[in-house]
Amino acid sequence: LSVLHPQTWKWVIGPMIIYLCERVLRFIRYLQEVKYRKIVIHPSNVLELQLMKSGFRMEVGQYIFLNCPSISQLEWHPFTMTSAPEEDFFSVHIRSVGDWTRELISKLDQLPEGAQGPKMAVDGPFGTASEDVFDYEVSMLVGAGIGITPFASILKSIWYKFKESNPKLRTRKIYFYWLCRETHAFEWFADLLQDLEKEMEERGMKDFLTYKLFLTGWDHSHAAHVMVHFDKDTDVITGLKQKTQYGRPNWDKEFEEIRKENPTSVVGVFLCGPEALGKTLEKKCVKYSDVDPRKVKFYFNKENF
């Protein structure tokens, strides 16, 4: 009689080895020293961490996992990086939305000026580089809510490449749209836009970036406050020269303007936001692309950052 021997181990051992290798790699990364370069707590209770780690390399659109052992040795949380690969540090912006983030912000808020924070472990980066945005002469970036985070990295990287005349960069014009329900969400990102705005003016390149901020939720008291201060040179919400608009964008009007300003360009449209908005933008790309191949074309990129 032939005896059948169990064969299950052959199917289990492969995945088990891969899992153990992943755990060993994460443990090695856990032991690597992470230094705090800068800790900023923005008025909207958004924590900005600028970190440094030996040998760390990133690309735009990637994310990392963070672990703070003094809060929990087992919890790892993913965050999209907001720094550019050209910078000598990597950064994340963390909103206070749960127990772990609240405790981390509380710990760092109590630190004396210039002190290093609690031990932080970093695993990553993960995700493929989202570099398609650099391949278009004109890029249209649309972010909704917290979907703005990856665009911080992209805008910074484009600006660095533009200043350095990087041959990999074909982009000559950026249209940036941000849709948000709450005013405080604009605060930390407005700092980045202010820096870009100032530097572009100094270099005589203020036409490189056109941005529009749309506030989709507000109350009567807020509207009254805006009306009182409407004649100021800068926006009452963001402090930027470009005034915040109220309600949702008229996409037909926006696409028509971009088409007129760039009659022979290839325009890449990128979205970080809800699927419904993606379907709308995709239809507009088809509607406003010219049948003549020598004229303007809009390409909607379904890439998720």
Side-chain angles (χ1 to χ4, degrees):
L1 292 172
S2 59
V3 179
L4 295 174
H5 296 286
Q7 303 290 310
T8 311
W9 65 272
K10 291 182 179 179
W11 305 103
V12 172
I13 194 166
M16 185 63 71
I17 289 171
I18 293 171
Y19 173 77
L20 289 174
C21 288
E22 191 273 334
R23 299 312 298 178
V24 169
L25 183 60
R26 175 166 278 195
F27 182 68
I28 291 170
R29 286 173 169 168
Y30 173 83
L31 295 176
Q32 290 177 321
E33 184 184 16
V34 176
K35 291 182 179 178
Y36 292 83
R37 179 181 180 272
K38 195 175 182 181
I39 300 168
V40 182
I41 298 178
H42 295 276
S44 52
N45 216 22
V46 171
L47 170 66
E48 178 184 350
L49 289 181
Q50 295 183 8
L51 305 170
M52 301 177 75
K53 181 180 175 181
S54 179
F56 189 89
R57 297 286 182 273
M58 65 159 287
E59 298 296 340
V60 294
Q62 291 188 311
Y63 65 94
I64 55 174
F65 281 91
L66 291 183
N67 170 269
C68 183
S70 62
I71 298 175
S72 171
Q73 292 205 340
L74 300 177
E75 285 188 57
W76 291 81
H77 293 267
F79 296 98
T80 302
M81 285 180 285
T82 54
S83 50
E86 291 83 0
E87 293 172 311
D88 61 356
F89 62 90
F90 59 99
S91 67
V92 292
H93 283 72
I94 301 172
R95 287 196 307 167
S96 178
V97 290
D99 293 342
W100 190 88
T101 53
R102 276 195 289 269
E103 192 166 344
L104 178 64
I105 290 172
S106 176
K107 277 179 178 291
L108 296 176
D109 196 25
Q110 294 167 17
L111 289 174
E113 186 79 23
Q116 284 284 305
K119 174 179 168 56
M120 187 70 73
V122 174
D123 193 12
F126 299 103
T128 55
S130 303
E131 296 192 332
D132 288 354
V133 69
F134 304 139
D135 295 333
Y136 292 92
E137 300 164 36
V138 180
S139 288
M140 181 179 178
L141 313 179
V142 182
I146 197 62
I148 199 63
T149 312
F151 285 139
S153 175
I154 290 167
L155 283 173
K156 284 182 185 178
S157 188
I158 287 175
W159 180 238
Y160 278 117
K161 287 177 170 63
F162 189 74
K163 286 193 297 182
E164 296 162 6
S165 301
N166 189 312
K168 287 184 179 180
L169 181 70
R170 295 185 61 200
T171 312
R172 292 292 171 264
K173 176 71 180 177
I174 298 172
Y175 295 89
F176 173 63
Y177 298 83
W178 187 12
L179 290 63
C180 206
R181 290 180 183 175
E182 302 166 325
T183 56
H184 68 258
F186 286 124
E187 291 171 1
W188 73 265
F189 200 81
D191 294 341
L192 166 63
L193 289 176
Q194 273 183 333
D195 290 341
L196 288 175
E197 199 173 54
K198 182 180 177 184
E199 201 167 344
M200 283 187 290
E201 279 194 6
E202 289 173 353
R203 289 173 171 262
M205 301 174 178
K206 61 181 180 180
D207 294 330
F208 176 69
L209 172 65
T210 296
Y211 64 89
K212 295 184 180 181
L213 311 182
F214 292 85
L215 185 63
T216 58
W218 69 92
D219 55 31
H220 293 297
S221 62
H222 175 77
H225 179 65
V226 170
M227 287 176 69
V228 169
H229 298 280
F230 186 75
D231 58 344
K232 284 193 172 182
D233 292 335
T234 54
D235 185 64
V236 67
I237 297 172
T238 62
L240 295 163
K241 292 184 178 179
Q242 176 69 48
K243 299 292 179 75
T244 300
Q245 301 183 47
Y246 295 85
R248 299 183 185 281
N250 180 338
W251 291 116
D252 286 302
K253 180 186 172 187
E254 300 302 332
F255 273 81
E256 187 61 53
E257 282 183 9
I258 293 173
R259 185 167 72 168
K260 283 181 180 178
E261 291 174 12
N262 307 277
T264 60
S265 295
V266 177
V267 183
V269 180
F270 295 85
L271 168 70
C272 281
E275 191 176 340
L277 180 55
K279 288 179 180 177
T280 301
L281 293 175
E282 191 168 15
K283 288 177 183 175
K284 301 303 179 190
C285 286
V286 174
K287 180 179 177 180
Y288 289 95
S289 290
D290 204 291
V291 291
D292 187 338
R294 294 167 297 178
K295 294 186 178 179
V296 67
K297 290 280 183 195
F298 290 90
Y299 287 99
F300 180 68
N301 290 263
K302 295 182 179 178
E303 187 170 10
N304 291 316
F305 295 107

